[in-house]
């Protein structure tokens, strides 16, 4: 039983503990190229949040990891079989209820541990910050915590070399053999402004990628996944510890 994982701990333990920080991992249920499981983002969120919290806990940080929310925003994948979409307004409603509990029980720091590119927490955190003035709510995107090019050869952002390597390390029994891996080729907008990043529109996923992947997984290995996992959890773990001890009324220098 890991005392920093809510799903594993118990009332006997929790009746005498006060946590400073709650971590809410948030994933998605969606196709990941031909070869990775639909819950890839959730497996990654579970393992990375737990690995990071372990580091913070062992340093003395009072952190508790809530169960991973398994559905995310998949509005652009409506025609991909069994991609389970949660509308942004539903996501907001779920988050409101969780924040309400934490606020009522005096856990004023929340980190949303995002694991899925379609989830956009910024407007949600802004609105909740106004409503719950005592709370300090932040969110992280772990794929951006490190420079991926130091770990992986191929760029990508969905079922790519990074995700395939991580899954080969975390759940090898759920990764199909290499001859089933799609190339993760994807199409870009014809209008340049979209690729330059200063104009945004949601991509129709089934039109940009045949195998649902974006990024070629061909050079993925479990060793690369392990190295990335250890470095991400170390960095996130140090951050969680720092956040546990931070005075939320004195954050600026
Ligand atoms: Zn993913």
């Amino acid at each position: 039983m890991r005392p920093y994982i809510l799903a594993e701990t118990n009332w006997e333990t929790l009746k005498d503990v006060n946590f400073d920080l709650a971590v809410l991992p948030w994933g998605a249920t969606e196709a990941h190229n031909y070869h990775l499981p639909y819950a890839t983002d959730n497996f990654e969120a579970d393992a990375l949040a737990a690995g990071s919290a372990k580091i913070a806990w062992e340093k003395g940080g009072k952190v508790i990891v809530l169960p991973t929310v398994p559905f995310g925003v998949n509005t652009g994948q409506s025609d991909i079989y069994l991609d389970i979409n949660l509308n942004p307004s539903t996501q907001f409603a779920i988050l409101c209820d969780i924040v309400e509990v934490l606020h009522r029980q005096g856990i004023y720091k929340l980190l949303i541990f995002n694991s899925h590119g379609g989830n956009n927490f910024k407007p949600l955190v802004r609105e909740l910050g106004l409503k719950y003035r005592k709370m300090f709510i932040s969110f992280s995107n772990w794929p951006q915590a490190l420079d991926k090019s130091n770990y992986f050869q191929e760029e990508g952002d969905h079922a790519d070399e990074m995700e395939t390597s991580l899954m080969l390390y975390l759940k090898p029994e759920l990764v199909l053999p290499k001859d089933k891996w799609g190339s993760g080729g994807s199409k870009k907008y014809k209008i340049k402004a979209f690729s330059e990043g200063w104009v945004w529109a949601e991509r129709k996923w089934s039109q940009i990628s045949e195998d649902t992947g974006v990024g070629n997984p061909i050079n993925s290995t479990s060793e690369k996944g392990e190295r990335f996992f250890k470095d991400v959890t170390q960095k996130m773990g140090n951050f969680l510890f720092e956040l546990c001890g931070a005075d939320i009324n004195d954050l600026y220098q």
Side-chain angles (χ1 to χ4, degrees), residues 5 42 45 48 55-56 72 83 108 130 134 142-143 152-153 157 162 180 209 235 250 253:
I5 304 289
N42 302 330
L48 286 159
I55 290 168
D83 275 21
Y108 295 123
L130 208 51
K134 274 192 184 172
W142 58 262
F152 308 105
Q153 290 153 264
D157 59 31
M162 176 197 74
K180 305 280 189 225
S209 169
K235 189 164 184 181
D250 184 22
Q253 58 183 7

Side-chain angles (χ1 to χ4, degrees), residues 28 30-32 36 40-41 44 115-117 142 157-159 162-163:
E30 58 173 352
H32 271 75
L36 296 181
T40 290
D41 291 356
E44 291 165 344
S115 192
H116 168 62
W142 58 262
D157 59 31
H158 186 68
M162 176 197 74
E163 282 203 293

